[in-house]
Amino acid sequence: MTLRSHYDYIIIGQGLAGLQLAMAMNRDSFFKNKYIALIDPEQKNTNDKTWSFWEQATASKWQSLAYKTWQTASVYTQKKETHLKLAPYNYKSIRSIDFYNKAKCTLKTSKHIHFIQDAVTHVTNLNTKAEVKTQATKTYTANHVFDSRLPSDYHKANRAIKLVQHFKGIVIKTDTPVFNTDHITMMDYRLKDGEKTSFTYVLPYTKNKALIEYTYFTKNTVKEEVYDTFLKTYIKDYLKVDNYQIIESETGQIPMTSFPFYKYNTKHITKIGTGGGWVKASTGYAFKNTEKKVKLLINNLKSNHAPTKGLYNKKHMFYDKIFLKVLHDNNEMGEWIFEKFYSKNTVNTMFNFLDESSSLYQELQIMSALFSWSFIKAFFKTLK
C-alpha cells in the first residue's frame, strides 16, 4: 500500500482509544471516503493488558470479544465482607490481544485506512491543518490529529494531584478446580502493603484458571518483586492453592490525576485516551468510558462541532478530584472508602456514579456513604 503525505485524520496510537475511534469511523458512512492513518511504533501483537467493564446489555458490540462474564462480586476489607449481585449488570473482561486482532483485521479491509509503524516525535498545529513528524524522519499532515500520548507537561506538573494505579497480574492454572467461575473478587484488602491503598483483584476464567492481580493506588510505584511476594502470599494463604503454574503475566501503570488534559486540545489536535484524560481518574476504568467519548467525538465531527464538545464532565471531574485529594493526603483511607462505597450503595447507584450518569439523588447517596472529616477537608482544598 502506497502511503500518502496528507490524510483527513491521523490517529496517534493503536491502543484502546485509537482503535475504538478508527473502528467507529470505519463503521460510519460519513467517513467512507476519508483517508485515515494510524501511527504507532508497536505492532500490538501481544496480550499486554486486560480491560474489564460492566454493562447492562447482555449483548453488545463487544460481546464476541468478551473473554468471560460474571454476575456476582465480593469486596473484602479487614472488617467486612460485601457480596454483590450485579444484575441488571454483567461484569466482563476483554483480553487486549483479542481486541487488537479484531480491530486490525476489520480495519485492514479498508483501502482508506493505513497503518504506519513509526514513533511520532512532534505534532504541530498549523493554520489549516496539523503536521506530524516521526522518528523515521517522515512528515505527514492531516485536517485533524487525534493524539493518545500523554502531554509532555504532565510529568512536570506540580499543582495537579498525581497518583498511580500500578499493578502486576498473573494468570495461574491450578491442578484442581478451585475457582467459582460466576464470581469475581473486586477488591480484597485483607492482604495490604502497610497502610497503603493496596488490594488483590481476582477474575476466575475457568474452575482452574484465573487472573490474580495485586494493585496499588499510591504516589510511587514498587519493584516487581514486591508484587510477586504479595501475589504468592495471597494465592497460598487466601486462595489456599499450593500447586499452580503461571501461564501469563502483565504489568501496568495508569495515571490517577486531576491534571487538566482538556487544556491541550487545539483547533486541529484532539487528545484522546490516556493522553486526553479519558481514563476514569478515581478508578482507572477506561473501556466503556472510551466507547462513550468516541461516540460523542464522532457525532461532533459529523455535526461540524469542535471534536471535544461535551467530552468532559466537569461535575464528575470535581468529584474525582476530591477523591484523589483524600487518597493523596491520607492514602491509608482507601480501604475505608471502598468498604463504604460498595457496602452502603445499590449496584445501580454505584455503577451510574462511576459511569458519570448518576442523578443528583444518587450522588447525594454516595456523598452520605463517604461522609467524613477527610472528605470535608478535601472538598474545601479542591475549591482553591
Side-chain angles (χ1 to χ4, degrees):
M1 179 183 290
T2 302
L3 295 178
R4 302 162 59 89
S5 61
H6 180 79
Y7 290 87
D8 294 287
Y9 305 107
I10 288 177
I11 300 171
I12 302 173
Q14 293 174 34
L16 176 63
L19 289 174
Q20 276 208 33
L21 177 57
M23 285 193 290
M25 288 178 166
N26 189 54
R27 287 192 299 267
D28 198 307
S29 60
F30 179 83
F31 303 94
K32 183 177 181 181
N33 296 314
K34 305 293 185 183
Y35 280 91
I36 302 164
L38 292 100
I39 307 177
D40 195 296
E42 299 178 5
Q43 292 186 350
K44 298 295 184 184
N45 55 10
T46 60
N47 188 51
D48 55 2
K49 55 180 65 72
T50 301
W51 291 299
S52 297
F53 58 96
W54 51 83
E55 62 180 0
Q56 290 200 39
T58 54
S60 72
K61 68 179 69 171
W62 312 113
Q63 186 62 30
S64 64
L65 290 178
Y67 190 64
K68 179 63 179 164
T69 299
W70 300 271
Q71 288 77 43
T72 59
S74 290
V75 175
Y76 299 92
T77 64
Q78 305 288 342
K79 298 180 179 179
K80 192 178 183 68
E81 293 182 14
T82 302
H83 302 291
L84 304 168
K85 292 182 178 180
L86 302 180
Y89 295 88
N90 286 323
Y91 194 83
K92 301 178 180 180
S93 277
I94 289 178
R95 288 157 47 91
S96 61
I97 188 61
D98 297 333
F99 174 78
Y100 298 148
N101 288 342
K102 171 70 173 178
K104 289 189 291 185
C105 181
T106 300
L107 296 173
K108 285 181 177 179
T109 62
S110 171
K111 64 180 180 180
H112 291 96
I113 297 177
H114 298 174
F115 286 82
I116 301 171
Q117 189 175 349
D118 201 351
V120 171
T121 56
H122 294 89
V123 182
T124 307
N125 197 69
L126 305 178
N127 287 334
T128 59
K129 57 189 175 183
E131 182 182 74
V132 176
K133 291 184 178 292
T134 72
Q135 199 171 63
T137 67
K138 300 291 186 181
T139 299
Y140 305 97
T141 58
N143 297 337
H144 205 93
V145 170
F146 301 96
D147 187 358
S148 64
R149 301 170 306 154
L150 282 170
S152 58
D153 287 349
Y154 173 76
H155 299 287
K156 54 190 177 185
N158 295 320
R159 297 190 63 184
I161 303 167
K162 290 196 289 185
L163 298 175
V164 184
Q165 179 181 153
H166 53 103
F167 58 86
K168 180 173 182 178
I170 55 175
V171 177
I172 66 169
K173 187 174 182 180
T174 62
D175 294 341
T176 56
V178 295
F179 300 112
N180 178 352
T181 57
D182 292 326
H183 190 86
I184 68 168
T185 299
M186 188 84 75
M187 289 179 161
D188 191 339
Y189 284 95
R190 292 174 297 176
L191 179 64
K192 288 172 57 179
D193 186 352
E195 293 302 309
K196 300 172 185 174
T197 293
S198 53
F199 58 90
T200 311
Y201 174 61
V202 182
L203 298 181
Y205 295 142
T206 68
K207 291 184 182 297
N208 69 335
K209 186 170 74 170
L211 170 66
I212 320 294
E213 188 175 282
Y214 198 76
T215 302
Y216 290 82
F217 291 176
T218 54
K219 298 176 189 177
N220 302 308
T221 58
V222 298
K223 294 182 178 179
E224 188 164 357
E225 52 261 37
V226 176
Y227 305 112
D228 292 336
T229 297
F230 282 109
L231 287 167
K232 186 176 181 179
T233 301
Y234 188 85
I235 293 168
K236 178 177 173 54
D237 294 347
Y238 293 88
L239 296 180
K240 307 299 182 183
V241 172
D242 292 314
N243 299 312
Y244 62 92
Q245 63 181 117
I246 299 173
I247 57 178
E248 287 183 27
S249 67
E250 61 183 55
T251 58
Q253 296 182 21
I254 302 170
M256 301 177 70
T257 180
S258 63
F259 182 81
F261 292 100
Y262 59 90
K263 292 184 178 180
Y264 292 81
N265 297 308
T266 65
K267 184 177 180 181
H268 300 293
I269 303 168
T270 297
K271 304 296 288 185
I272 64 171
T274 303
W278 289 14
V279 178
K280 180 70 173 167
S282 57
T283 62
Y285 282 101
F287 198 90
K288 293 296 286 186
N289 207 33
T290 297
E291 180 184 26
K292 184 188 300 184
K293 290 185 183 298
V294 163
K295 183 178 179 179
L296 276 170
L297 197 154
I298 291 291
N299 287 339
N300 286 337
L301 291 172
K302 292 168 64 176
S303 302
N304 202 30
H305 294 144
T308 55
K309 182 182 178 182
L311 215 57
Y312 295 93
N313 187 320
K314 291 186 177 180
K315 179 176 66 173
H316 280 271
M317 288 170 64
F318 180 70
Y319 293 152
D320 284 344
K321 192 173 181 180
I322 296 172
F323 171 83
L324 292 174
K325 184 63 177 171
V326 173
L327 277 190
H328 183 274
D329 293 349
N330 306 97
N331 197 246
E332 73 283 355
M333 285 193 65
E335 179 180 359
W336 180 89
I337 291 169
F338 286 106
E339 177 189 301
K340 300 299 181 185
F341 181 78
Y342 282 105
S343 66
K344 289 184 172 293
N345 295 290
T346 66
V347 166
N348 271 320
T349 295
M350 290 187 293
F351 285 166
N352 281 342
F353 183 77
L354 294 175
D355 285 337
E356 301 187 355
S357 58
S358 50
S359 66
L360 178 60
Y361 177 70
Q362 289 174 323
E363 290 158 16
L364 290 173
Q365 288 180 304
I366 297 288
M367 293 175 197
S368 175
L370 299 178
F371 186 81
S372 69
W373 178 238
S374 294
F375 271 87
I376 293 170
K377 287 192 295 184
F379 174 82
F380 285 107
K381 288 180 180 179
T382 302
L383 292 176
K384 294 180 181 178

